[in-house]
Structures are given as structure tokens and as C-alpha cells.
């Protein structure tokens, strides 16, 4: 399918927002040791930029999860492809996500980490599409709320492409007769 990508959130706005989020996380967790768990692959770019701005002792880990279901439909049943390496018992965790859509993935991962004995599980997401929510889950730290549009860049993909764009862009499908 032919499509183009329109800038939705510029590189400069993302950089500014990350500094704000980092400052807020730092203020809220003074004197604490935190474990940041990035959900592969979408969160990688956001997580790297974010943790560099936080002046607290931070450990990092990653999880890879995939939701069952065909195409764009999420079912809420999540398969863990890569578990965390740390023992998170009694630890304070941050799940880092690129975007919250239905919320099903995050809900599953949050419950999974609590089941492993985590003391606290915070959520930090670059983007949030609140209109699409299917389960009641809120992110403690949100970069940008966006409308119900499909976006790519800054970690987010469309068929694994465009993750390295330095901005968040909206995917615009093009009609055949426009080409
Ligand atoms: P959820 O379980 O429905 O909240 O799924 C969230 C996941 O869906 C994200 O981690 C992304 O991988 C993917 N996703 C949701 N919306 C978009 C989008 O607009 N662009 C790219 N990936 C998306
Ligand atoms: Mg993802």
C-alpha cells in the first residue's frame, strides 16, 4: 500500500518533553534506585534518551512480548518472548513503552511483574491514545496524548520500518488516483 508520513511531533518537541519527564521522575523518586524495563522493540529509542537525563541510580532490562491475534487486532493474551534478567522482588520498577493503545499489553506486563514480587510498577510512555483503551490502565508519565491515528518513528514501526525517524509521524494512506 502506498503511504506518506506527515510530521506529527517534531524532534525538538520530543527532546523538550523527555527533559521534562526526566525531571519529573527525578523529583518523584529522590534517593531511590530504579529498574527501567523497556518493552522491545518500540521503546528502545525513547528509553535510551530518557535515562540519560535522569540523575538517579538506574538499572535497565528489557522484555519482549507479543500479543496473540491476527493483523491489527489485539486479544489481550500476551506471549512473553523474552523475560527480564533481574530479580525484581521488592524492587521499584518502571515499564517504558512507546505507545499505549488498547492497554492490554501493559496490563498483562504490569500484572506479570507484580506476580514476580515487584514492590511498585510505574509506567512511562512516550505516546498515549486514550480513545482506544479497552482496559482501565493509566500511565504515570505520558509524553504526548495523540488522537486515534497510526504513527511511526522514534521507535515506532509500520511493518518494522521507520523506527529510526527522529520524529513521530502520522501514516497517511494514499489513494491510487493520487499517485
Ligand atoms: P496495546 O496492547 O493495544 O496497548 O498495544 C500497544 C502496542 O501496539 C505498542 O507497543 C505498539 O507496538 C503497537 N501500536 C499501537 N499503536 C501503534 C501505532 O500507532 N504505531 C505503531 N505501533 C502501534
Ligand atoms: Mg510495542
Amino acid at each position: 500500500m502506498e503511504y506518506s508520513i506527515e510530521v506529527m511531533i517534531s524532534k525538538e518537541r520530543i527532546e523538550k518533553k523527555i527533559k521534562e519527564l526526566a525531571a519529573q521522575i527525578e523529583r518523584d523518586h529522590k534517593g531511590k534506585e530504579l529498574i527501567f524495563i523497556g518493552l522491545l522493540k518500540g521503546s528502545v529509542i525513547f528509553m535510551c534518551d530518557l535515562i540519560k537525563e535522569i540523575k538517579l541510580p538506574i538499572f535497565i532490562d528489557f522484555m519482549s512480548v507479543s500479543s496473540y491475534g491476527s493483523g491489527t487486532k489485539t486479544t489481550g493474551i500476551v506471549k512473553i518472548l523474552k523475560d527480564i534478567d533481574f530479580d525484581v522482588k521488592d524492587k521499584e520498577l518502571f515499564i517504558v513503552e512507546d505507545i499505549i493503545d488498547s492497554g492490554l499489553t501493559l496490563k498483562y506486563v504490569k500484572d506479570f511483574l507484580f506476580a514476580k514480587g515487584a514492590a511498585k510498577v510505574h509506567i512511562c510512555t512516550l505516546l498515549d491514545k486514550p480513545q482506544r483503551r479497552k482496559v482501565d490502565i493509566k500511565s504515570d508519565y505520558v509524553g504526548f496524548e495523540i488522537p486515534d491515528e497510526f504513527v511511526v518513528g522514534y521507535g515506532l514501526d509500520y511493518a518494522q520500518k521507520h523506527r529510526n525517524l527522529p520524529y513521530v509521524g502520522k501514516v497517511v494512506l494514499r489513494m491510487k488516483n493520487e499517485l
Side-chain angles (χ1 to χ4, degrees):
M1 200 165 336
E2 294 291 334
Y3 62 93
S4 55
I5 299 168
E6 281 174 11
V7 179
M8 182 189 266
I9 309 167
S10 69
K11 181 173 177 272
E12 292 70 26
R13 281 181 70 202
I14 297 172
E15 282 167 1
K16 185 166 175 270
K17 183 63 77 175
I18 286 180
K19 288 203 168 84
E20 287 168 15
L21 287 173
Q24 208 182 333
I25 292 171
E26 219 178 278
R27 268 200 311 275
D28 295 349
H29 299 87
K30 270 205 185 94
K32 289 188 184 161
E33 208 175 71
L34 306 169
I35 301 177
F36 275 59
I37 299 171
L39 301 190
L40 295 170
K41 304 169 189 165
S43 71
V44 168
I45 295 176
F46 175 46
M47 180 149 132
C48 292
D49 286 348
L50 179 70
I51 60 172
K52 283 184 284 182
E53 301 291 333
I54 305 174
K55 289 167 223 72
L56 291 174
I58 288 178
F59 296 85
I60 62 169
D61 207 340
F62 294 96
M63 272 181 88
S64 179
V65 299
S66 80
S67 44
Y68 283 111
S70 57
T72 55
K73 265 198 182 159
T74 35
T75 54
I77 305 163
V78 175
K79 189 174 164 192
I80 305 220
L81 304 174
K82 188 218 167 287
D83 197 349
I84 43 171
D85 301 323
F86 275 107
D87 176 5
V88 295
K89 192 159 174 14
D90 303 326
K91 298 282 199 288
E92 192 153 336
L93 313 181
F94 265 81
I95 307 174
V96 183
E97 243 306 30
D98 49 359
I99 188 164
I100 313 181
D101 192 38
S102 69
L104 291 163
T105 311
L106 265 183
K107 183 165 187 341
Y108 185 92
V109 171
K110 193 174 181 181
D111 292 348
F112 174 83
L113 293 170
F114 271 129
K116 282 184 175 265
K120 280 188 184 164
V121 181
H122 308 281
I123 295 171
C124 180
T125 187
L126 176 68
L127 305 173
D128 187 4
K129 285 186 199 171
Q131 285 159 272
R132 301 257 307 167
R133 205 68 94 252
K134 284 197 189 131
V135 285
D136 183 27
I137 190 153
K138 279 201 182 65
S139 183
D140 305 283
Y141 301 92
V142 178
F144 302 92
E145 278 195 7
I146 62 164
D148 184 8
E149 306 274 8
F150 197 83
V151 291
V152 292
Y154 206 75
L156 292 116
D157 72 302
Y158 177 45
Q160 297 301 325
K161 285 188 252 178
H162 313 302
R163 292 194 195 272
N164 60 323
L165 289 176
Y167 55 85
V168 171
K170 171 178 155 180
V171 172
V172 184
L173 298 179
R174 292 161 69 184
M175 299 295 156
K176 271 222 170 77
N177 56 11
E178 275 183 55
L179 299 172

